[in-house]
Every structure is written in C-alpha cells, then in structure tokens.
Amino acid sequence: MRQTSLRLRAGIVSLGILLIFGLAWHLAVSGSGPTQQMDPEYAKLMGQTAVQGKSAMPGPLDVLVKIWSHLKEPFYDRGPNDKGIGIQLAYSIGRVLLGYGLAMLVALPLGFLIGMSPLMARALDPFIQIMKPVSPLAWMPLALYTIKDSSISSIFVIFICSLWPMLINTAFGVSSVRKEWLNVARTLEVGPFRRAFTVILPAAAPTIVTGMRISIGIAWLVIVAAEMLVGGTGIGYFVWNEWNNLSITNVITSILVIGLVGMILDQALARVARAVSFPE
Amino acid sequence: MAIFRNPFDHRFRLSSKGCSCGQHGSEAEHAAAAADGLAASSDETLRLRRSVENAVMRALFPVDEQRRNFLKVVGASTAYAAINTLFPIAAATDVLAQGAPLEKKDLKVGFIPITCATPIIMAAPMGFYSKQGLNVEVIKTAGWAVIRDKTLNKEYDAAHMLSPMPLAISMGVGSNAIPYTMPAVENINGQAITLAMKHKDKRDPKSWKGFKFAVPFDYSMHNYLLRYYLAEAGLDPDTDVQIRSVPPPEMVANLRADNIDGFLAPDPVNQRAVFDGVGFIHMLSKEIWDGHPCCAFAASKEFVTTYPNTYSALLKAIIEATAFATKTENRKQIAEAIAPPNYLNQPVTVVEQVLTGTYADGLGQIKRDAKRIDFDPFPWESFAVWILTQMKRWGQIKGDVDYAGVAKQVFLATDATRLMKEAGLTPPTTTTKTFSVMGKVFDPAKPEEYIASFPIKRI
C-alpha cells in the first residue's frame, strides 16, 4: 500500500516537473523580439525569424506537432536521402545489434580465458589498458581506410566500443568466482567444461550482464555520432540532415526518440540482469 | 521510309521497289496517302523499335513474300511473340537507343547539399540520368573529406567535388595519390562572403584584422578566393585572420553562435544566413572573379577507363542538365525540384533566391544579378593552372609543378567538348584562356611569374 502511494506520488511529481518545464520553455520562446520595418517584397524573401522576430528555438507545441507528424508516417521512403524516422531507427538499431553481437562473440570467450588464466590476464592487460580509453570514433578514419565501406565501418566502430566493458566485466566476473565453489567442484571431480558452464558461468553471470548493459549504452551513444560522420542512413544521419536545414524542431524530436530507444535497450538488459542474479 | 514500317504487317513490303505497302506506284504517292501512317511518326523510341524489328524480320525472311504469307497465316501478334522469344526486341531497342551498351547501369553519385551541385542533383528528379538509360542514386554526404574517402573506396562511382580536389588527389596532396579526372565543371560563380550582422558597418576588408573566417575545405576555390581577396587588401590570411575549414551546414549555426565573424561559402548557406537574420551578404564571389569555377563533377581515372560507355552516358546526362540549368527561365522549376528534404533540404524561397539571382542581401535591399550563379560545364585547363598557382602560393604544394601537364591530365576538356556539342551547346575551340581576378590579368602560360608577382605568399 505504502509503496503504491509512493509510486503514485513520484509519478505526480514527475508530471509536475514536465509541466513546469514545458511551460517555462513555451514562455521563453513565445515572445517575439524587436521587429524592424521592412519592405513587404523584401520580407517575402526572409524567414520568420528575421521578419517577425520569432525565436529560432521552437516551442514545445511545435515539437509535439512534429512528433505527431513523424508518428503518423514513420516508414515513408522518398528516395535515398529522405526516409521516415522509423526506417532510420531500424537502420541504426540493426547496426548496433550487429556490432554488439559480434563484440559479444569475441568478448565473452576471451573474457573467460582471461578470467580463468592469470597468465593470459597479465599478458593481455597492457593491450586492453591502452585500447580501452580510445574514443571509438577515433577508429573511424582507420576503419574507412582499411574496410573501404562506410556502413561496415560504423558496425566496426560499434564492435570496438562495446567490446571493452564486456571483456573486462567477463574477465572480472570469472576470476572472482568464490574459491569455495571451485573447490567443491574439484572435490566432486567435475570436468573443466562442466565446471565452466554449471559453476563459473552462473556465478559470473550478474557481472557479465552488467558489462553487457554498459556496452549497449555506449553502443547506442556511439552509433548516433558515427552516422552523423559518415551519413547515408540511420538516426544519426537524420539528426545531421535536419541540422543542415537548421530545423531545431526535428533535432529535438530525434533527441527524444534516441533517448526512448536507448531506454528500451537498457531496460531489456536490466531484465536479463534480474533474471540471472542470485542471492548469496 | 520503309525502315520505320511495321514489319509485322503483311500488307507492307519491306523491299524498296514501288512503295512500301505495295498499293502505290512510288514512295511519294504512298506518303501522301498515309499521312497518319507510321512514316509520320515522330516518336523516337517507336522508330528505333521499328528499325530493330525490321532488321530481325529481314534476317528471318530474306524473301519478302514468305514473310507476308507467314504473317497472313499466323497473325501479327503471334508472330511478334514467337520471334520475341528468339530475339529480345525490346532489349535490342534499348541498346540501340543508348548508342553503345552500358557496362554498369546502377550508379551511386555522391553530393554535398549545396546549390553548386545543382546539375548533379536535378538530373535525378528531372530525368536526365534515366534518359541516358542510367539508374543513378544521388547520395547526400556529410562533408568533403567523407566524399573523397567514399569515392576512393568506390562506394560512389562519381561525385560532386570542389574543383581543386581532383587536382589535389591526383598529386597526392592531403590523400594518397590516385589518378583522378574532372570531366566537367558544374557551376561558375555562386559563392559569397557573408559577415555577421554586428559587422554591418565594417565593409572595408582592411578593418577585418583578427576576424575568424570559415571556408568549406582547405582545397577549395573558397579558400583561394578568400585568401586572394584578403591579401589584395593587405591582410596576411595566415597571420592577420584565422581561416578554418567548416562543413557548410555548420556555418550558419557557428555564425549565430558568434564562433566566426564570417565565411566565404557556397549557397544556399549565404542566403540561409540572411533568411534567418544572422548575417548579410558582403559581396558575391562573382565580384572577385566573374566566371570562376567552383564545384566539379569528378570520377576516378579507373572508372573512366573501366566503364567508358557508362562514363560517357553519365557525363552526357550532367552536361545536358547543365545546359538546361543555364537558361534562366528554367531556374524556378529547378529550385522546386532540388529544395525538398531528399536533396538540399532547404526552404524553396532560399534556393530560388540563389538560382534566380533576385535576393535579399540581409541589409534591407533586394538585389538583382541574374549571373549570381551560372552553369558552364567546360573545364578550362587555365582554371586548373590558376588553382595550382594558388596551391603553390599558399604552400599546399612545394617544388616544381608541371602546371600544364597536371591540368591536361585532370581536366578532361576534350570529352567535354564532344559531349557539349551533342547536347547542343557550343564548346570553346581552345582549352586555355586568360582572365582577370580582381582586375589582375592571369596568363596561364606564365604561372611562376604570376605567383612571384604577389607580395603576400608562402614561398
């Protein structure tokens, strides 16, 4: 009972914050600045910002109207440079999942190896330490030059940025499995494969999934920047194209959409994390 | 003309004795009788198809009587269907229509969303590519470096570039040296110097010391023209002002944010700054050098040699589009075709002001200059020489330069001459000319003397 009411109250406060923010935003941009006297023929050639002193920043209502127009028609395709926001999102999510999937295929086995073998852990450590802090976008020119395909290059950038958190967390999770459990497994003469899958994996799973959750967050951050850089398709290209048109309304719309998708991806992995966690 | 008759009609004779249908004594009598017949057809594709069909039928039935009997017995449509399975008439007609078979039909051409790319862009929505049998996708690209990399990667078959870029790429300046060609200039003029509103009283370039300027790329006419203009006013472009390379879409945002004081940029960026009340047009680039080249249509030498027919068809489409854009009465229509989100993604009125040359200058005046932007595909080799002199003047290239040699290799003037004739334009008879930049005459035969004559330079 008490929890429900807390949830309810939190919801009301959230709504209140949203309303106040929306109102403040609306008031801040609705006033029109000083207007100059202009020849009507000249005024026809100018934009509203210049003629009516309208703020260049759109109001919350403009954004809502824009969002509605995108929701009404998310999958239109009017040529290679003008596709609906739904198609752009599908391209971005596709790239993220591909790059992320590849990173998983590499990071999980390699992380296991590093976690189980102190020798490999020490040997690979300097490489990981140097590569980890590199901004994934710094790889972009190199990728473009060697892979010679911009779409695969952005998938590669996603791969490289989601690799490190998964790798490090897997290694850490595997190496910190409690010694008692391993000893019990040894006394029961469990084979190495069975030990890896029935003892180590479940024990390390919460840490591994945490790494995966960090990775998907980073991957979603990076794809937008990567697509802004190479263009073509994807939500990042959409933002760039609308910026090109100085359409702040569309830019705000896509910021909201990017946030929403990022949240969904994160929540999906949060569910996985809850499923694999265990009380000690 | 017998060759344009329907050979699937048994009433017509394909041999040339008497008239073609056999009902008249001579061809002239027949023509008079059949004014509405196929002989009067002006439809080019139908005529082409007829000539293909005729060739096929003559080959199958060397004796005309046989053909006529055959058609009488089985009927024309059955005969057409039967023969079409043996010989694809439609495909053969296509091939004939294009002159030579195209090695590659689906092409990708990259462009930057600016009005310089007008011929490349408009050729897609207005059907100039499809007229040549090409299926061209024009792809919007984020910046010059990306367009260069994607063309070098072969993701793009050809691209919109700044005219100094193919020269720079061919010589390996700023990238690996790859033989590049520039078979056509896209536009001449069409750039402008735009300053922030707060500088509206500083119209004399001598008072611009300490300004921060933006140009689209290091290897651009914009950079060379701005440097030239500043140097003529006595400012050293490297020490007295700051010039940075900023992608065109970011320029207006930067001007609004007060990060830069002005830019020499391609349109629609200048007009967009005016449209949004951020800046005013100080001068058109035309006032620095009337008729200067700006952007270009470029392709790798490899593309030109591997797909000669495709290249020729593509270039023809571009040149025809350019010819169409030259006429001022077509400009409004073009503005509407290229303004939508798929292409420039700008308000139509902005693009229209650029293309028609009737524009607001940002200071309350309406200016009219029909030559604000113009289109002339001919790649003058002397343009290349001038660009090379400026590259050398500002230290982008060092040592001895084979001006005429590089110019000839990269600027393919001969191809343009041939195709311009086919498109109904009059190409010039020479490939070099002298011109003057801010009143100073440039002689392409004496590039080194030209560089030496400037007081401000980096050599």
Side-chain angles (χ1 to χ4, degrees):
Chain A
M1 185 63 201
R2 168 165 288 187
Q3 209 176 6
T4 335
S5 81
L6 177 67
R7 211 179 259 182
L8 192 71
R9 278 182 294 156
I12 292 171
V13 173
S14 291
L15 211 65
I17 294 175
L18 183 68
L19 279 177
I20 292 171
F21 175 72
L23 198 68
W25 179 8
H26 181 74
L27 289 178
V29 299
S30 61
S32 53
T35 48
Q36 310 159 346
Q37 213 46 46
M38 272 188 215
D39 180 14
E41 205 185 331
Y42 180 78
K44 248 200 292 189
L45 300 176
M46 302 290 284
Q48 284 193 321
T49 319
V51 177
Q52 302 167 356
K54 193 176 179 295
S55 170
M57 196 65 187
L61 294 176
D62 301 323
V63 174
L64 283 180
V65 169
K66 198 86 214 169
I67 292 178
W68 178 240
S69 77
H70 280 301
L71 284 182
K72 264 197 305 194
E73 209 188 354
F75 297 111
Y76 71 83
D77 185 353
R78 293 187 203 111
N81 308 310
D82 185 17
K83 297 185 202 296
I85 201 164
I87 297 184
Q88 307 286 24
L89 274 177
Y91 271 110
S92 298
I93 294 174
R95 280 184 196 134
V96 163
L97 291 184
L98 250 168
Y100 183 77
L102 287 173
M104 235 164 87
L105 287 182
V106 174
L108 297 188
L110 199 64
F112 248 85
L113 180 72
I114 296 174
M116 289 171 79
S117 140
L119 172 73
M120 288 312 283
R122 295 228 168 170
L124 289 175
D125 191 54
F127 300 108
I128 295 174
Q129 293 308 330
I130 288 180
M131 292 302 188
K132 191 182 62 170
V134 175
S135 161
L137 288 175
W139 291 97
M140 190 53 111
L142 192 65
L144 272 175
Y145 187 79
T146 46
I147 301 176
K148 295 192 186 297
D149 183 293
S150 56
S151 194
I152 301 177
S153 296
S154 40
I155 293 172
F156 170 77
V157 167
I158 296 301
F159 164 79
I160 207 94
C161 79
S162 26
L163 187 69
W164 310 115
M166 277 199 256
L167 184 67
I168 291 166
N169 267 44
T170 309
F172 175 72
V174 169
S175 68
S176 52
V177 172
R178 281 165 61 178
K179 288 282 168 295
E180 296 89 328
W181 299 347
L182 291 178
N183 289 339
V184 171
R186 199 166 295 141
T187 21
L188 293 175
E189 294 187 343
V190 176
F193 271 99
R194 205 164 156 216
R195 192 180 49 168
F197 282 99
T198 56
V199 180
I200 298 176
L201 187 63
T207 329
I208 296 176
V209 174
T210 307
M212 289 168 65
R213 200 171 156 189
I214 298 172
S215 282
I216 196 88
I218 295 178
W220 188 244
L221 291 182
V222 167
I223 191 70
V224 176
E227 285 167 346
M228 281 179 96
L229 215 62
V230 294
T233 47
I235 191 72
Y237 166 76
F238 183 82
V239 174
W240 176 82
N241 194 23
E242 292 308 329
W243 184 25
N244 180 9
N245 187 21
L246 299 174
S247 165
I248 307 294
T249 328
N250 267 324
V251 171
I252 295 176
T253 308
S254 29
I255 288 176
L256 290 177
V257 171
I258 291 167
L260 199 70
V261 174
M263 188 184 81
I264 292 170
L265 290 175
D266 188 59
Q267 288 304 311
L269 277 162
R271 269 179 188 233
V272 179
R274 270 201 295 277
V276 297
S277 68
F278 55 87
E280 275 190 47
Chain B
M1 298 268 291
I3 196 166
F4 299 136
R5 299 225 164 275
N6 186 351
F8 290 100
D9 191 330
H10 64 82
R11 289 171 302 157
F12 292 150
R13 217 189 293 166
L14 292 181
S15 53
S16 51
K17 268 174 282 167
C19 94
S20 42
C21 73
Q23 287 162 359
H24 308 93
S26 75
E27 190 62 46
E29 269 177 58
H30 171 89
D36 60 340
L38 281 169
S41 166
S42 59
D43 186 58
E44 199 185 348
T45 47
L46 186 63
R47 271 188 283 137
L48 278 172
R49 209 175 84 203
R50 286 281 182 264
S51 48
V52 172
E53 288 168 358
N54 265 293
V56 173
M57 291 301 271
R58 277 170 207 252
L60 281 174
F61 302 101
V63 181
D64 206 35
E65 274 307 303
Q66 282 177 1
R67 178 188 67 95
R68 294 170 74 178
N69 290 334
F70 171 70
L71 290 172
K72 261 186 228 167
V73 176
V74 301
S77 52
T78 320
Y80 181 81
I83 287 163
N84 209 4
T85 55
L86 294 174
F87 187 88
I89 289 174
T93 312
D94 276 354
V95 169
L96 199 68
Q98 289 146 13
L102 296 172
E103 301 90 348
K104 193 175 175 188
K105 280 191 178 171
D106 299 317
L107 301 176
K108 283 197 170 145
V109 176
F111 74 94
I112 303 281
I114 53 178
T115 40
C116 302
T118 299
I120 288 186
I121 302 172
M122 66 184 261
M126 300 179 91
F128 287 93
Y129 292 128
S130 47
K131 198 177 147 201
Q132 302 296 329
L134 294 168
N135 177 21
V136 176
E137 251 184 69
V138 287
I139 312 276
K140 198 180 320 194
T141 313
W144 300 106
V146 180
I147 222 166
R148 178 195 63 205
D149 291 349
K150 283 195 170 183
T151 332
L152 297 183
N153 282 352
K154 297 183 192 126
E155 266 182 69
Y156 295 155
D157 297 287
H160 162 210
M161 284 191 180
L162 294 158
S163 46
M165 283 170 67
L167 293 166
I169 296 174
S170 294
M171 293 193 303
V173 186
S175 74
N176 290 349
I178 288 172
Y180 236 73
T181 65
M182 195 190 105
V185 168
E186 281 174 53
N187 66 312
I188 54 175
N189 302 336
Q191 325 301 311
I193 299 181
T194 300
L195 294 180
M197 284 314 267
K198 64 175 179 188
H199 296 308
K200 68 177 170 214
D201 299 321
K202 291 192 187 168
R203 299 297 292 273
D204 183 1
K206 289 191 177 68
S207 61
W208 291 356
K209 212 165 179 177
F211 272 30
K212 284 180 206 142
F213 284 104
V215 293
F217 199 58
D218 288 339
Y219 305 98
S220 69
M221 284 305 292
H222 311 85
N223 189 16
Y224 305 138
L225 288 175
L226 181 63
R227 281 167 175 269
Y228 194 103
Y229 181 69
L230 293 171
E232 289 296 291
L235 293 180
D236 187 314
D238 286 314
T239 54
D240 292 336
V241 296
Q242 228 189 71
I243 298 180
R244 24 169 131 145
S245 144
V246 175
E250 295 169 32
M251 285 179 174
V252 180
N254 271 309
L255 196 66
R256 191 201 289 280
D258 222 5
N259 273 347
I260 47 176
D261 297 283
F263 46 73
L264 200 162
D267 272 310
V269 175
N270 302 296
Q271 202 57 50
R272 189 62 205 253
V274 171
F275 184 80
D276 282 317
V278 180
F280 67 94
I281 294 179
H282 168 69
M283 73 191 308
L284 299 179
S285 61
K286 166 177 188 288
E287 295 164 53
I288 301 176
W289 169 6
D290 191 6
H292 72 81
C294 173
C295 289
F297 169 70
S300 68
K301 192 136 212 160
E302 192 188 334
F303 177 77
V304 176
T305 46
T306 330
Y307 308 112
N309 297 338
T310 308
Y311 154 75
S312 188
L314 187 62
L315 185 56
K316 197 170 172 199
I318 302 267
I319 286 180
E320 281 186 1
T322 313
F324 186 81
T326 313
K327 302 198 180 78
T328 41
E329 66 268 23
N330 297 335
R331 298 274 175 89
K332 268 199 162 164
Q333 188 191 346
I334 296 172
E336 271 164 40
I338 65 174
N342 198 16
Y343 305 108
L344 293 185
N345 200 14
Q346 291 287 338
V348 178
T349 164
V350 169
V351 182
E352 211 175 277
Q353 288 180 59
V354 174
L355 291 182
T356 59
T358 302
Y359 64 96
D361 69 349
L363 296 171
Q365 300 293 314
I366 296 180
K367 300 234 172 130
R368 284 182 181 80
D369 190 337
K371 297 275 173 204
R372 172 176 180 175
I373 185 167
D374 207 350
F375 302 93
D376 180 356
F378 194 73
W380 289 97
E381 280 164 20
S382 39
F383 286 171
V385 177
W386 188 85
I387 293 169
L388 290 169
T389 61
Q390 298 303 304
M391 285 177 155
K392 184 151 182 200
R393 177 181 177 189
W394 302 116
Q396 288 181 335
I397 47 176
K398 303 223 159 28
D400 289 333
V401 181
D402 175 14
Y403 296 95
V406 175
K408 209 179 187 70
Q409 250 176 41
V410 179
F411 280 38
L412 302 181
T414 39
D415 287 2
T417 307
R418 178 170 56 82
L419 291 163
M420 274 172 83
K421 270 188 203 144
E422 286 179 33
L425 295 172
T426 348
T429 43
T430 56
T431 54
T432 56
K433 64 172 178 182
T434 57
F435 45 82
S436 62
V437 184
M438 291 183 79
K440 186 180 167 112
V441 176
F442 168 66
D443 180 357
K446 296 178 182 138
E448 288 294 341
E449 285 91 322
Y450 184 68
I451 300 175
S453 72
F454 292 107
I456 302 179
K457 54 181 177 279
R458 292 283 88 79
I459 321 177

